[in-house]
Amino acid sequence: MRIQQENIKTLVERKANAKLGGGQKRIDAQHEKGKLTARERIALLLDEGSFEEFDMFVQHRCTNFGLDKQHFDGDGVVTGHGTISGRPVYIFAQDFTVSGGSLSKTMSEKICKVMDMARQNGAPCIGLNDSGGARIQEGIDALAGYGEIFERNILSSGVVPQISGIFGPCAGGACYSPALTDFTLMIKNTSYMFLTGPAVVKSVTGEEVTQEELGGASVHATKSGVAHFAAENEQEGLDTIKELLSYIPQNNMEEAPVVPTNDPYNRVDDLLNEIVPDNPNKAYDMSQVIRSIVDDGKFFEIHKDFAKNIIVGFAHMNGRSVGVVANQPKFLAGVLDINASRKAARFVRFCDSFNIPLVTLVDVPGFLCGTQQEYGAIITNGAKLLYAYGEATVPKVTVTLRKSYGGSHIVMSCKQLRGDINYAWPSAQMAVMGADGAVNVLYAKDLKAVEDPEEKAKVRAEKKAEYEELFNNPYQAAQKGYIDDVIEPRNTRFRVIRALEQLRGKRQDIPAKKHDNLPL
Ligand code: HXC
């Protein structure tokens, strides 16, 4: 009996010691930087008392550079499982207080264990990164460890949701694990991601740049699109991860949780009858339309500050999760460019992977033209969105509010890309191009022949009016069955909800193949 008590005492002591990671001094240093420790982050993210830790006593096996004399229980990462709002998740959080959270082979084994369990048990995997990258003393072993993690990121992709929180440094090849996951969240001013840091950049290119300018949250959430979210602080970041999870299912075999609402499914909004300006060149705020039609006006936007000409995010409609994709006339007139196409394509593919129906709101003048876009491969990038919509088999409900021209008309979930229900507002305009461009092409010779400028303007106006009469309405498309109905804007919420309800049993196949070859 006394022996067992001694054993228990040892266990308690060892656990307490393991919980200190790299020691109190390093914990204090972490706090001084305005950062939480790995364990504090886990405690704030998971439901209270739900965390089950694995591998608390694991130690590295490296003997190089005196590491055989330097051991910390847990070896720089805290791993295990718990629940968020009662739903299971697997988690790993790198502990910067142990060798700067650098990745050893044993640390990678701990991470891979929870990744494998997440995939096998059909639950999301959350990684909280805070690491100096590959543990330099371990050499190729550390690189092998990263390889093992990347392979699991790939195998888990489309099976269970994978979320990366960047809560400190994430440098070099380490960035590729978050890049392989579904969503990446960064914390402003305390986290950064780059393949090579400022010093290397200076020596290679001569460019002088700070860490924040090179790979801070603001950069990746606005310019590169690497980060889907940039939180003000760690608490906000962890809350964002919780909210994100509330819209998505546990795995690709399940549906997202239903969130009951008191918002009537048949609520009409007269404001929508007025929102599209008479002048087709005038903008309006598409996010107002989104908030009007979703449950309780609640929209969880993703990539909020990146490629603002398209909006993507989650909402509930009659309690069920939907992915919303909408052109934003307020920015660049809602044109599709490289970044907008990439942003929306990635989102559409996520929704399709995880059984989340797509609601698409269209007001798009076309693809952005010019050398910058062509040199940046707008053709390939635009094709990503086209591909994503075309392959998606989840229910797809589309509403065209105003412009829907040319290639962008097709890309934005048209009927021929297996759009299920396509509605249009009476203000919809569907054509190969806008009236000005069309008249310039069709009547170039006639206009050239007219010398008098006044007469020329008159002919142009007549031809424009003729074109607009034909195409500046949804009825050509409606006559041909390319849209299913022209609806009154105020009714959009309940028409979309009814469409989604009707599509709930949808089953659609794609031809058998090893995998697709989407235009990367
Ligand atoms: C071993 C490391 C380490 C690493 C940090 N430490 N990075 N140990 N391998 N990669 C240790 C430090 O020695 C120190 O140990 C402790 O962690 C804290 O580090 P500090 O430098 O004191 O902290 P700070 O000033 O905040 O700077 C953090 C840092 C810096 C910016 C991350 O440590 C740094 O630049 N580290 C190297 C980053 C890097 O180049 N990594 C390789 C990237 S390439 P003590 O004992 O003093 O507490 C890569 C390849 C992956 O990862 C390839 C995958 C395919």
Side-chain angles (χ1 to χ4, degrees):
M1 194 67 175
R2 207 172 311 135
I3 293 175
Q4 188 62 316
Q5 276 167 359
E6 276 302 310
N7 288 343
I8 292 169
K9 190 164 162 260
T10 306
L11 172 69
V12 171
E13 281 168 6
R14 285 202 63 167
K15 285 202 166 182
N17 181 56
K19 282 182 182 167
L20 280 177
Q24 194 57 48
K25 240 173 92 182
R26 289 192 180 91
I27 293 174
D28 294 342
Q30 179 85 340
H31 288 157
E32 275 158 30
K33 287 183 203 156
K35 291 163 67 181
L36 299 172
T37 64
R39 286 176 192 282
E40 287 165 345
R41 288 168 185 151
I42 290 175
L44 286 174
L45 182 62
L46 301 186
D47 295 338
E48 205 180 332
S50 70
F51 184 49
E52 279 288 333
E53 185 168 348
F54 300 137
D55 295 336
M56 204 181 199
F57 304 116
V58 160
Q59 296 185 350
H60 71 75
R61 300 185 292 268
C62 181
T63 54
N64 304 332
F65 299 99
L67 278 195
D68 48 338
K69 294 179 197 70
Q70 209 182 93
H71 285 284
F72 296 95
D73 281 341
D75 197 29
V77 69
V78 183
T79 60
H81 67 89
T83 59
I84 293 179
S85 304
R87 302 163 74 206
V89 295
Y90 287 82
I91 190 162
F92 65 88
Q94 288 169 325
D95 181 356
F96 193 82
T97 68
V98 176
S99 302
S102 58
L103 189 111
S104 65
K105 185 65 173 58
T106 38
M107 191 210 260
S108 76
E109 286 163 5
K110 282 183 68 173
I111 293 173
C112 288
K113 188 190 270 188
V114 285
M115 292 178 83
D116 286 341
M117 293 182 90
R119 193 171 75 248
Q120 280 162 23
N121 299 320
C125 191
I126 301 166
L128 304 181
N129 298 262
D130 188 359
S131 162
R135 189 166 300 166
I136 296 163
Q137 299 92 324
E138 293 216 359
I140 193 71
D141 269 344
L143 299 185
Y146 270 122
E148 300 274 3
I149 293 170
F150 298 163
E151 182 62 24
R152 279 162 180 80
N153 285 135
I154 295 160
L155 294 176
S156 298
S157 182
V159 182
V160 290
Q162 300 182 86
I163 299 169
S164 298
I166 314 298
F167 283 70
C170 184
C175 295
Y176 285 112
S177 176
L180 290 166
T181 61
D182 297 304
F183 297 102
T184 298
L185 173 140
M186 294 184 76
I187 310 297
K188 287 183 190 167
N189 303 313
T190 52
S191 72
Y192 49 88
M193 298 175 81
F194 37 64
L195 292 188
T196 49
V200 178
V201 170
K202 185 160 184 232
S203 69
V204 175
T205 68
E207 189 186 2
E208 287 201 36
V209 66
T210 64
Q211 285 189 0
E212 187 62 29
E213 287 164 348
L214 186 62
S218 46
V219 168
H220 286 312
T222 59
K223 289 183 170 42
S224 71
V226 166
H228 300 82
F229 307 97
E232 292 297 330
N233 52 52
E234 297 200 11
Q235 177 72 63
E236 186 185 300
L238 296 165
D239 289 344
T240 303
I241 293 175
K242 286 190 217 183
E243 198 177 348
L244 169 62
L245 284 169
S246 72
Y247 291 97
I248 61 186
Q250 292 290 93
N251 57 60
N252 64 339
M253 306 297 280
E254 293 184 15
E255 291 197 359
V258 176
V259 178
T261 176
N262 291 324
D263 195 355
Y265 85 94
N266 55 359
R267 171 174 56 76
V268 297
D269 185 353
D270 291 332
L271 231 118
L272 293 186
N273 279 4
E274 309 289 327
I275 200 164
V276 175
D278 291 341
N279 179 348
N281 297 323
K282 253 185 106 179
Y284 59 96
D285 186 0
M286 183 64 91
S287 64
Q288 241 183 301
V289 179
I290 298 171
R291 286 178 208 284
S292 159
I293 66 171
V294 300
D295 290 356
D296 308 302
K298 209 166 146 235
F299 180 55
F300 182 74
E301 191 167 352
I302 290 157
H303 264 148
K304 186 154 67 76
D305 297 314
F306 174 66
K308 289 177 168 189
N309 35 331
I310 202 154
I311 303 171
V312 304
F314 297 113
H316 291 109
M317 292 193 82
N318 207 24
R320 292 185 185 277
S321 263
V322 291
V324 179
V325 181
N327 310 111
Q328 171 57 291
K330 243 178 74 174
F331 288 92
L332 297 172
V335 75
L336 281 180
D337 59 3
I338 293 168
N339 285 346
S341 304
R342 285 198 297 128
K343 166 177 163 177
R346 182 93 180 124
F347 181 71
V348 167
R349 295 199 96 219
F350 176 84
C351 290
D352 190 45
S353 300
F354 290 101
N355 314 316
I356 301 171
L358 287 160
V359 174
T360 305
L361 304 177
V362 183
D363 189 345
V364 61
F367 277 102
L368 188 58
C369 55
T371 49
Q372 213 195 353
Q373 290 290 308
E374 295 292 356
Y375 295 173
I378 180 65
I379 296 172
T380 312
N381 285 290
K384 286 179 184 154
L385 183 54
L386 176 63
Y387 201 108
Y389 267 122
E391 74 173 340
T393 55
V394 287
K396 293 182 280 192
V397 178
T398 305
V399 184
T400 302
L401 281 61
R402 188 168 63 175
K403 297 171 193 170
S404 184
Y405 290 143
S408 60
H409 160 80
I410 302 169
V411 168
M412 293 301 294
S413 197
C414 73
K415 204 76 177 159
Q416 293 71 29
L417 292 184
R418 305 197 294 181
D420 294 299
I421 303 288
N422 290 55
Y423 291 134
W425 285 7
S427 45
Q429 308 168 9
M430 296 167 176
V432 173
M433 60 178 77
D436 280 317
V439 168
N440 282 342
V441 175
L442 292 178
Y443 301 103
K445 281 195 196 121
D446 306 63
L447 288 167
K448 210 171 162 194
V450 184
E451 279 183 10
D452 175 40
E454 243 176 63
E455 181 60 19
K456 198 191 277 262
K458 204 175 135 220
V459 174
R460 181 188 292 280
E462 275 169 20
K463 298 297 181 197
K464 227 180 115 179
E466 193 184 318
Y467 185 89
E468 283 172 352
E469 169 76 19
L470 192 62
F471 292 123
N472 275 14
N473 61 67
Y475 298 107
Q476 273 258 332
Q479 278 165 19
K480 295 175 198 292
Y482 297 152
I483 56 168
D484 298 288
D485 199 6
V486 182
I487 63 171
E488 217 186 306
R490 66 204 284 267
N491 297 338
T492 304
R493 172 174 165 82
F494 85 80
R495 296 299 297 268
V496 171
I497 288 175
R498 280 214 302 226
L500 290 168
E501 292 296 324
Q502 179 236 315
L503 292 166
R504 276 194 49 211
K506 180 182 174 187
R507 292 283 174 271
Q508 195 168 47
D509 291 327
I510 44 175
K513 50 178 104 172
K514 183 178 175 194
H515 60 70
D516 58 33
N517 185 20
L518 87 165
L520 292 172

